[in-house]
């Protein structure tokens, strides 16, 4: 890392942006019988204060593991093997950002960050809620861990939050157990719990996948309102590029545990700079295409976790791959502008010229 970059990280700023969270070359690996699965392998990304960063990519690209790493929720046989996760502001406002990776996993500071400063909504709401306690118990407990409220005040806040996430008759739902609710209702309860302490960063991992489109639109509106009120930042993980277009300020595209492109949402949608991003966008069904026209797909499959290709991890599926280069050398991350970068050799003129020269001589 250059000295300038280290300085910008320590001050929590990049260009004109106040950076709330900076993930710096994070590696989270899983040590299994057959070898090492490099689920997250050198991910760097940042989240500006008050903005929404959407993380997209196919299943298995490391989106959820990156998100869980931020809260240190990686279980054995996985662990964070390298990198930093710097959180600015909050208790660290007067000083340096706190490195979440360096915190004691059982310590007070990490407990305060989890649920208080950073909240997370998981993919499977049923697995995240306890079947033994009522929704009210769980909501009140989450509120009282982080906020100095009486049980009665916390309960009133819980009812209000359930109403805000679109749950009808919230007083009654407070008395219900999760197994008495539908998956969609449970997801809304999870979102209410996550928002209950007004986190500075909300990490939402496919939070609206189980919901019907009306509820989904309501939840997205609610998140946008809360963001405007509280300057909350969001990392939003989704497969749905329609949702991305609606809510993202910036987009991070991941493939096989690495970031392949990042940039402002308009630039990613209108001028993608990485072949994988182009392929993802080309595979969105569009109105007005002929009924008989085939939907574009990305050739091949995501490789098995223990069979990571050499060179560019996308090269076996890339229609623009350069033989002898892409299958041999790892591509560099090229800065294309402020908060705009792509990891592809097509943007590295020097390397391309060298390769062409070598090819001509041989
Ligand atoms: Fe395709 Fe090569 Fe770029 Fe990888 S580095 S995305 S294989 S062109």
């Amino acid at each position: 890392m250059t000295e300038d970059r280290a300085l910008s990280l320590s001050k929590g700023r990049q260009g004109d942006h106040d950076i709330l969270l900076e993930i710096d070359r994070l590696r989270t690996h899983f040590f299994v019988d057959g070898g090492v699965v490099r689920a997250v392998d050198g991910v760097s990304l940042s989240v500006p204060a008050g903005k929404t960063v959407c993380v997209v990519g196919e299943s298995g690209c490391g989106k959820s593991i990156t998100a869980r790493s931020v809260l240190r929720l990686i279980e054995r046989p996985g662990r964070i093997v390298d990198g930093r996760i710097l959180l600015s502001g909050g208790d660290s406002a007067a000083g340096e950002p706190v490195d979440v990776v360096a915190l004691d996993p059982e310590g007070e500071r990490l407990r305060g960050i989890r649920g208080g400063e950073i909240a997370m909504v998981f993919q499977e709401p049923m697995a995240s809620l306890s079947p033994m306690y009522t929704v009210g118990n769980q909501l009140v407990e989450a509120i009282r861990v982080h906020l100095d409220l009486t049980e009665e005040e916390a309960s009133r806040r819980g009812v209000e939050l359930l109403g805000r996430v679109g749950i009808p008759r919230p007083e009654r739902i407070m008395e219900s157990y999760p197994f008495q609710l539908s998956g969609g209702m449970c997801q809304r309860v999870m979102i209410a719990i996550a928002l209950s302490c007004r986190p500075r960063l909300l990490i939402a991992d496919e939070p609206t996948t189980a919901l019907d489109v009306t509820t989904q639109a309501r939840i997205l509106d609610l998140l946008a309102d809360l963001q405007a009120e509280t300057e909350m930042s969001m990392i939003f993980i989704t497969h749905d590029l329609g949702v991305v277009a609606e809510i993202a300020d910036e987009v991070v595209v991941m493939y096989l545990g690495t970031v392949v492109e990042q940039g402002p949402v308009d630039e990613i949608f209108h001028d993608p700079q990485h072949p994988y991003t182009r392929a993802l966008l080309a595979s969105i069904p569009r109105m007005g295409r002929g009924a008989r026209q085939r939907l574009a797909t990305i050739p091949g499959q995501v490789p098995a976790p223990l069979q990571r290709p050499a060179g560019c991890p996308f090269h076996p599926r890339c229609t623009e791959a350069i033989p002898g280069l892409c299958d041999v050398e790892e591509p560099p991350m090229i800065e294309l502008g402020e908060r705009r970068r792509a990891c592809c050799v097509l943007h590295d003129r020097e390397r391309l010229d060298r390769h062409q020269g070598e090819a001509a001589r041989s």
Side-chain angles (χ1 to χ4, degrees):
M1 183 167 54
T2 65
E3 214 173 295
D4 283 355
R5 177 145 169 85
L7 197 65
S8 81
L9 291 182
S10 71
K11 288 184 173 171
R13 281 192 69 77
Q14 271 176 20
D16 291 336
H17 299 271
D18 280 327
I19 300 301
L20 177 69
L21 187 84
E22 176 89 34
I23 300 177
D24 179 30
R25 295 169 295 177
L26 177 71
R27 291 180 200 280
T28 304
H29 294 175
F30 288 77
F31 299 84
V32 296
D33 286 345
V36 179
V37 176
R38 290 149 61 185
V40 173
D41 203 32
V43 163
S44 293
L45 64 91
S46 60
V47 183
K51 302 286 185 198
T52 298
V53 174
C54 281
V55 183
V56 300
E58 288 163 287
S59 296
C61 70
K63 307 183 295 286
S64 296
I65 300 296
T66 301
R68 294 182 78 97
S69 299
V70 172
L71 284 174
R72 303 277 305 276
L73 295 175
I74 302 297
E75 286 171 10
R76 275 149 64 113
R79 68 183 156 87
I80 296 175
V81 294
D82 199 11
R84 299 190 298 167
I85 298 171
L86 301 172
L87 177 68
S88 301
D91 288 357
S92 56
E96 298 293 297
V98 60
D99 181 2
V100 177
V101 175
L103 293 176
D104 173 3
E106 308 297 333
E108 192 77 5
R109 185 71 181 96
L110 188 58
R111 270 207 299 278
I113 288 175
R114 284 184 186 142
E117 294 180 55
I118 305 177
M120 185 156 177
V121 180
F122 295 93
Q123 249 168 349
E124 311 90 14
M126 288 299 204
S128 306
L129 291 166
S130 167
M132 312 283 286
Y133 297 94
T134 63
V135 166
N137 288 149
Q138 297 182 60
L139 199 41
V140 166
E141 191 191 336
I143 293 170
R144 294 193 71 203
V145 164
H146 297 286
L147 301 179
D148 187 17
L149 296 180
T150 65
E151 191 153 345
E152 207 180 316
E153 288 166 337
S155 178
R156 270 204 302 278
R157 186 165 166 76
V159 170
E160 182 204 319
L161 276 161
L162 290 181
R164 287 202 74 181
V165 295
I167 289 186
R169 289 167 293 156
E171 291 85 357
R172 222 182 96 194
I173 297 299
M174 289 285 277
E175 305 302 321
S176 303
Y177 289 86
F179 58 79
Q180 295 174 305
L181 307 178
S182 67
M185 289 277 258
C186 284
Q187 190 58 294
R188 279 182 274 177
V189 170
M190 281 303 302
I191 291 171
I193 290 175
L195 297 176
S196 63
C197 298
R198 294 190 168 240
R200 294 191 294 131
L201 173 66
L202 177 70
I203 303 176
D205 188 355
E206 305 263 8
T208 55
T209 305
L211 307 181
D212 61 77
V213 283
T214 314
T215 311
Q216 182 184 81
R218 195 166 177 173
I219 295 288
L220 294 179
D221 286 348
L222 167 74
L223 293 176
D225 288 350
L226 277 160
Q227 201 170 23
E229 272 172 38
T230 64
E231 283 277 292
M232 178 177 78
S233 304
M234 265 201 288
I235 296 178
F236 201 101
I237 296 170
T238 181
H239 284 98
D240 188 338
L241 291 170
V243 170
V244 175
E246 194 176 328
I247 66 163
D249 292 297
E250 294 186 7
V251 181
V252 169
V253 184
M254 286 187 67
Y255 187 78
L256 268 194
T258 61
V259 172
V260 297
E261 184 164 2
Q262 177 170 13
V265 62
D266 288 347
E267 292 181 31
I268 294 283
F269 272 82
H270 295 122
D271 188 22
Q273 293 295 317
H274 192 281
Y276 179 58
T277 315
R278 285 196 276 274
L280 275 183
L281 292 170
S283 56
I284 303 176
R286 286 180 211 282
M287 300 276 284
R289 274 190 184 161
R292 290 176 172 277
Q293 199 170 340
R294 274 183 174 272
L295 194 60
T297 55
I298 304 176
Q301 287 180 343
V302 177
L306 289 169
Q307 286 163 2
R308 197 186 174 81
C312 171
F314 186 55
H315 87 261
R317 307 174 71 192
C318 181
T319 54
E320 300 171 56
I322 301 168
L325 179 58
C326 295
D327 50 349
V328 177
E329 294 183 27
E330 285 196 14
M333 180 62 87
I334 306 283
E335 303 290 332
L336 301 170
E338 197 190 346
R339 303 194 59 74
R340 184 87 172 97
R341 61 206 175 109
C343 183
C344 176
V345 76
L346 298 177
H347 298 287
D348 187 348
R349 194 65 261 163
E350 209 176 293
R351 211 182 281 211
L352 285 175
D353 289 346
R354 174 175 47 82
H355 176 72
Q356 276 167 0
E358 285 168 3
R361 282 194 295 279
S362 62

